[in-house]
Amino acid sequence: QVQLVESGGGLVQAGGSLRVSCAASGRTFSSYTMGWFRQAPGKEREFVAAISRSGGTTNYADSVKGRFTISRDNAKNTVYLQMNSLKPEDTAIYYCAADGHIVMRLMSSRYDYWGQGTQVTVSS
């Protein structure tokens, strides 16, 4: 069982930066691929970024590539999403999720555990 708690969301102007964090409970954090997903009002939840167990491999949605960076600190049981050059279309609730499968997967339905989400709002 893994419990995930996101933090760091807020309101930022377009072009600004924000870092959201996700703290995980349990001693097996390093056994999980971690992902960030987001859901805007009226839209389906979409993949943003994922990072492998060791942190050596990352994957990004095309819409955020070059602007967002996912990272993790296994000693602190925390995964981060650094968001730069934010755009109004990045406005959404951001969720972190954990997947126990050995191969990195990008579909939200494959992830076993989810946080409650943190709101990110980008004003124009």
Side-chain angles (χ1 to χ4, degrees):
Q1 190 81 3
V2 177
Q3 292 184 328
L4 305 173
V5 179
E6 299 96 336
S7 62
L11 174 65
V12 63
Q13 288 188 333
S17 298
L18 203 61
R19 187 178 81 161
V20 291
S21 303
C22 173
S25 65
R27 297 174 292 178
T28 59
F29 177 71
S30 60
S31 299
Y32 293 88
T33 291
M34 298 300 297
W36 284 98
F37 295 81
R38 66 186 182 187
Q39 188 167 18
K43 295 187 177 181
E44 294 186 353
R45 190 170 298 187
E46 65 175 359
F47 168 76
V48 175
I51 188 166
S52 62
R53 300 173 175 187
S54 67
T57 301
T58 57
N59 203 310
Y60 296 92
D62 288 342
S63 60
V64 306
K65 203 170 293 183
R67 300 188 298 122
F68 290 11
T69 302
I70 188 172
S71 61
R72 67 189 297 163
D73 185 336
N74 285 344
K76 294 183 178 180
N77 283 11
T78 302
V79 61
Y80 307 95
L81 185 68
Q82 176 67 42
M83 303 181 287
N84 299 328
S85 302
L86 282 161
K87 304 175 181 179
E89 51 263 44
D90 294 318
T91 295
I93 298 175
Y94 282 72
Y95 299 90
C96 72
D99 178 10
H101 197 270
I102 194 169
V103 176
M104 182 186 293
R105 300 184 293 188
L106 309 183
M107 293 179 61
S108 60
S109 59
R110 302 298 187 183
Y111 282 71
D112 304 304
Y113 304 102
W114 291 83
Q116 83 289 349
T118 185
Q119 176 71 48
V120 172
T121 303
V122 185
S123 63
S124 57

